[in-house]
Every structure is written in C-alpha cells, then in structure tokens.
Amino acid sequence: MSDDLRGLNDLDRLIHEPARLLIVTILSTAASADFLFLQREAGLTRGNLSAHLSKLEEAGYVKIEKTFKGKLPLTVCKLTAKGQKAYVAYRQQMQSFMDKTG
Amino acid sequence: MSDDLRGLNDLDRLIHEPARLLIVTILSTAASADFLFLQREAGLTRGNLSAHLSKLEEAGYVKIEKTFKGKLPLTVCKLTAKGQKAYVAYRQQMQSFMDKTG
DNA sequence: GCAATGCGGTTTGTATTGCAAACTAGTTTG
DNA sequence: CAAACTAGTTTGCAATACAAACCGCATTGC
C-alpha cells in the first residue's frame, strides 16, 4: 500500500466542513433555496446556517439574494458556477480516496 | 430531493480531519507503522503528525509505543479495535452520502 | 395604544482547532 | 568540544464552529 493518498491534504476545507457540504449538496440539486428550507433540510440552527452561508458567499460559492415575502424578509441562496465546480471537484477527490482505499 | 443527508452532521470529526483520515487509513492497512514512515507517507510535518497522533491516542483510536531502534527513539503506532471500528463507521457514512447524492 | 410574542435572520462570546515555528533531548560527525 | 543531525514535543496564534444573545419588524392579546 503505497498509493498516493496525500491528495486528501488538498481537500477544499470550505466544502469539507460537514454542515457546508450539506448546504452545498442541497443547493446543487435545488437550483435555489430559501433560508428556512435550508435550515430544515440541513438540520442547522439559524445562527449556524447564517454563518456558514456568509462564509460560502465570501468564497464566491453561493449567491445570496435578500427580498421580501409579503412583509417578511426572505433570503434566497443559489450555488454559483464556481461553487458548483468546487463541489464537483470535492466529490471527485473524496470518491477517488474511497475507491483507492475500498 | 428530500433524502436524509443530515447524517453528515454526525460524522466523527476526529476522523473527518483530512490529516487524521490519512493517518488512520494508513494504519488500517499497515498493522503497525513508525513515526517517520507515517510522516513520509502522509506528507505531514513532524509537529503536525505528533499533535494528530496525540489526539488519536487520547481518543483511544491508536496505541503508541515508544521504544528504541539502536540508540534512537522509535515511536510505533497501531490502530486499536476502537479506532478500526470508528474508521469503518466513518467510511460507511461517507460512502452512504456519496451514494445518495451520486 | 402598547406590552408580549413570533419571525427571519445576524452578531457576539468562547472554547477548540490546525498549523508553523521554536524547542528538547540525545547522537553522531568534524 | 562544538556543530549538525535525529526524532519527536511544545508553544503561539490565527481561524474555526457552535450556542446564545441580540435585532428590527409584524402580529396578537388586552
């Protein structure tokens, strides 16, 4: 076993974080999702979700649009092309690891 | 897509950390490995490897034996049964995630 | 009319991390 | 005996992740 597994060390930490992996995964299949949908689906507290979304936005992985639903704020999130690409790359690296060490 | 992906939130963070995932993976196939072998194989600095091993030992995932090779210190590491179990569980969760979102 | 409650989030506080750089203890080399 | 090497450990610090407190606005109870 001298396979080159060191690729693990290059994993995108932003996506590697489970909560964010979850968020990005959901967004990757949903085209767009509002804050509360994400919260329920991911099982995160509002505070946590907010912080993680900010981080993903900062990285340019998601785009966040704030509008209103009637009179209440509504936050809608989308994966950007960059985010999609990073997600695909992450999956590919992780699957490659799983395959090599199966 | 309303699959239950929230399992990700229960991932064992100790193993999820890439450096440690690498270490544990190597140990899982090597039966036993000395410090320098691990360092080379995992591509970690000595400081980092030392810190991660301590953490894994604290958790009872690896057993560390300090002996001598001639007159030089030699640190030998093994995965414990507990560590092996945690590793298998981690892989299973991660693979399950990959499969569900393939 | 106005306190209390609820909604949709954001900010703050804190304890934990992961890493690099400095350090230690002993050994060999010049 | 001084300098350099081996095999690690400890330290310092910036960056996390999470919970809890907070915020502005809207509605409800009285």
Side-chain angles (χ1 to χ4, degrees):
Chain A
M1 164 69 47
S2 198
D3 266 321
D4 203 36
L5 303 174
R6 294 180 212 64
L8 276 188
N9 289 320
D10 302 334
L11 280 178
D12 186 337
R13 310 295 279 234
L14 232 92
I15 293 192
H16 189 57
E17 166 62 28
R20 283 188 301 256
L21 179 51
L22 208 41
I23 292 171
V24 169
T25 298
I26 293 167
L27 289 179
S28 83
T29 69
S32 103
D34 63 71
F35 192 95
L36 292 176
F37 173 73
L38 274 177
Q39 198 205 324
R40 268 193 310 279
E41 205 72 5
L44 298 169
T45 63
R46 287 168 310 200
N48 259 331
L49 178 54
S50 176
H52 286 307
L53 281 177
S54 295
K55 207 152 279 198
L56 289 168
E57 185 183 27
E58 226 175 300
Y61 285 4
V62 313
K63 189 155 160 277
I64 297 180
E65 258 158 64
K66 284 156 197 307
T67 63
F68 287 86
K69 177 179 50 183
K71 302 186 170 180
L72 292 173
L74 179 69
T75 303
V76 178
C77 314
K78 287 183 182 184
L79 207 56
T80 64
K82 185 175 177 186
Q84 179 74 26
K85 203 174 144 195
Y87 175 62
V88 168
Y90 175 85
R91 287 188 60 88
Q92 207 228 307
Q93 284 177 85
M94 183 53 84
Q95 188 61 61
S96 159
F97 163 75
M98 294 299 272
D99 291 345
K100 281 191 214 156
T101 58
Chain B
M1 164 72 46
S2 198
D3 264 321
D4 203 36
L5 303 174
R6 294 179 212 65
L8 276 188
N9 288 321
D10 302 334
L11 279 178
D12 186 337
R13 311 294 278 234
L14 231 91
I15 293 192
H16 189 56
E17 165 62 28
R20 282 188 301 255
L21 179 50
L22 207 41
I23 292 170
V24 169
T25 298
I26 293 167
L27 288 180
S28 82
T29 68
S32 103
D34 65 72
F35 191 95
L36 292 175
F37 173 73
L38 275 177
Q39 197 206 323
R40 268 194 308 280
E41 205 72 4
L44 298 169
T45 63
R46 287 168 310 201
N48 259 332
L49 178 54
S50 176
H52 285 307
L53 282 178
S54 295
K55 208 153 279 195
L56 288 169
E57 185 183 26
E58 225 176 303
Y61 286 4
V62 312
K63 189 156 160 278
I64 296 180
E65 257 159 65
K66 285 158 196 306
T67 64
F68 287 87
K69 177 178 50 183
K71 302 186 170 180
L72 291 173
L74 178 69
T75 303
V76 178
C77 314
K78 286 183 183 185
L79 206 57
T80 63
K82 185 175 177 187
Q84 178 74 24
K85 202 174 146 193
Y87 175 62
V88 168
Y90 175 85
R91 288 188 60 88
Q92 207 232 307
Q93 284 177 85
M94 183 55 82
Q95 188 60 61
S96 159
F97 163 75
M98 294 300 271
D99 291 346
K100 281 190 211 155
T101 59

